[in-house]
Amino acid sequence: MAVDHQVLAVNGINLSIYSAGPADGRPLWLLHGFPECWYSWRHQIEPLARHGYRVLVPEMRGYGQSSAPSEPEAYDLITLCGDIQAAMDALGHTEAGVISHDWGAGLAWYLTLLEPQRVKALVTMSVPFGGRPKRPAIDIMREANADRFNYIVYFQDVGVAEAELDADITRSLQLLLGGTGEMFLQDKPADARLFDGMPEPQGLPSWCTEKEFSVYRRTLSRGFRGPLNWYRNFGRTWQRTEALAGQSIVPPTLFLLGDNDLVGKLESHTIKRMNQVVPRLEHHVLENCGHWIQNERPNEVNALLDDFLGRHYKA
């Protein structure tokens, strides 16, 4: 199937978008996470397009051929939502379905709060939502990890994580994509680095071929500065979302999680109370599955998408 590519000038940046499916099909936006790329949806694009959807897969701000501003304040979630909102406007999408993973899911939750009439169906993977927190999450993380390493706290200082991750982009991606996530829970000093104590990578994960990995590597070839900036805006996002406090997610929502996903373990308290702010929630846990859910279990994910979209956002 042919995949089209275009670059839109929106929200002060250039946004690279891949698309497939009939031009008049119902829009379906697929939003990737960290440290991924549009190609992380490779198992979903063609099946969804063949069902009649117009599938749109942006390279998110900071990735690939999209603009990557160097200043961290250019990556708060309201600004990032603005990229997708402006692209939808430019393409004439008055309604849309959204499928998302990882940081893409973090964006999708707030996009849906901002656009309750436009987003008709929402799918999020791996990252749950419990509403706007009472204070910035980074403040809580700093307090809880004052004497031990925490990867999100480590990502906060501009230039520090970049120096480690950019030193060998291939190795960094192999460790990030190929691990079980246990590197993020290692008990080590607060001044440690992300990969300290980690064994050398043993090839690629089973779900990723060398050809596929080359797309990830090319996407991150400029370095990790832009993607890491997504982590540096907990405070700014919290300030800019005050008007959204207490609001619920309106459209029908499907949340998918791998049973071995570290995020699920860290955010179990959020998952338990999700239905309080996501009243039309459907929740599925995939067995023997880690964080990279749409790649590790593509057939199961696609079947769940077909069922959910068929009921709530038919092409």
Side-chain angles (χ1 to χ4, degrees):
M1 174 175 288
V3 176
D4 304 319
H5 180 251
Q6 62 184 315
V7 177
L8 295 180
V10 293
N11 201 29
I13 66 164
N14 290 325
L15 187 68
S16 166
I17 303 174
Y18 290 86
S19 55
D24 59 350
R26 296 194 85 182
L28 195 55
W29 287 77
L30 279 56
L31 311 180
H32 72 77
F34 172 93
E36 295 183 88
C37 59
W38 74 275
Y39 200 59
S40 64
W41 298 108
R42 59 192 174 278
H43 299 296
Q44 287 72 46
I45 294 171
E46 183 172 343
L48 291 169
R50 290 195 183 282
H51 275 80
Y53 296 101
R54 182 59 176 172
V55 181
L56 301 110
V57 194
E59 296 188 283
M60 309 299 278
R61 178 185 290 232
Y63 290 83
Q65 300 166 82
S66 292
S67 298
S70 60
E71 60 274 13
E73 57 269 24
Y75 292 81
D76 68 85
L77 282 179
I78 297 301
T79 297
L80 294 164
C81 285
D83 295 346
I84 306 304
Q85 290 171 286
M88 289 178 174
D89 290 343
L91 297 172
H93 296 172
T94 57
E95 64 178 32
V98 176
I99 300 174
S100 56
H101 175 250
D102 190 79
W103 263 115
L107 185 160
W109 289 117
Y110 279 98
L111 176 66
T112 304
L113 290 179
L114 292 167
E115 296 278 4
Q117 300 305 313
R118 177 146 54 180
V119 178
K120 298 299 183 182
L122 173 66
V123 180
T124 61
M125 303 181 195
S126 298
V127 174
F129 183 65
R132 180 178 180 269
K134 295 181 179 179
R135 60 186 179 125
I138 190 61
D139 294 349
I140 300 170
M141 293 179 207
R142 289 187 188 279
E143 292 171 6
N145 297 278
D147 300 319
R148 64 185 299 274
F149 179 83
N150 174 273
Y151 77 98
I152 293 180
V153 174
Y154 173 67
F155 286 171
Q156 296 307 301
D157 292 334
V158 175
V160 176
E162 289 93 324
E164 180 181 11
L165 296 175
D166 291 353
D168 188 336
I169 290 174
T170 295
R171 176 177 180 268
S172 295
L173 282 172
Q174 287 177 317
L175 286 168
L176 290 167
L177 298 175
T180 62
E182 294 307 315
M183 77 174 75
F184 298 116
L185 288 179
Q186 281 189 311
D187 188 8
K188 52 189 178 184
D191 61 354
R193 300 188 306 166
L194 180 63
F195 297 142
D196 286 353
M198 291 297 298
E200 286 302 306
Q202 301 298 312
L204 301 176
S206 60
W207 51 263
C208 188
T209 67
E210 179 57 45
K211 182 178 179 181
E212 292 167 341
F213 183 74
S214 68
V215 183
Y216 286 77
R217 188 166 47 212
R218 186 164 61 249
T219 298
L220 275 298
S221 61
R222 289 181 299 187
F224 281 82
R225 176 68 174 271
L228 286 167
N229 279 340
W230 285 61
Y231 287 89
R232 294 167 176 156
N233 281 276
F234 289 97
R236 184 174 172 82
T237 292
W238 187 81
Q239 293 172 352
R240 298 198 66 194
T241 56
E242 183 176 3
L244 301 175
Q247 292 191 21
S248 297
I249 298 294
V250 172
T253 301
L254 173 65
F255 178 64
L256 303 181
L257 180 72
D259 62 348
N260 293 324
D261 191 336
L262 174 67
V263 178
K265 300 173 184 177
L266 294 176
E267 294 290 339
S268 59
H269 60 292
T270 302
I271 294 171
K272 290 177 182 177
R273 58 187 176 88
M274 274 181 69
N275 58 4
Q276 297 176 24
V277 292
V278 191
R280 302 176 71 184
L281 176 68
E282 299 179 27
H283 180 192
H284 290 271
V285 177
L286 279 69
E287 295 183 359
N288 300 313
C289 182
H291 183 68
W292 316 107
I293 184 168
Q294 72 268 37
N295 292 301
E296 294 183 49
R297 294 288 184 273
N299 293 335
E300 294 174 60
V301 167
N302 290 352
L304 289 166
L305 292 178
D306 287 347
D307 174 67
F308 177 77
L309 294 172
R311 288 182 286 114
H312 299 294
Y313 191 69
K314 188 169 292 186

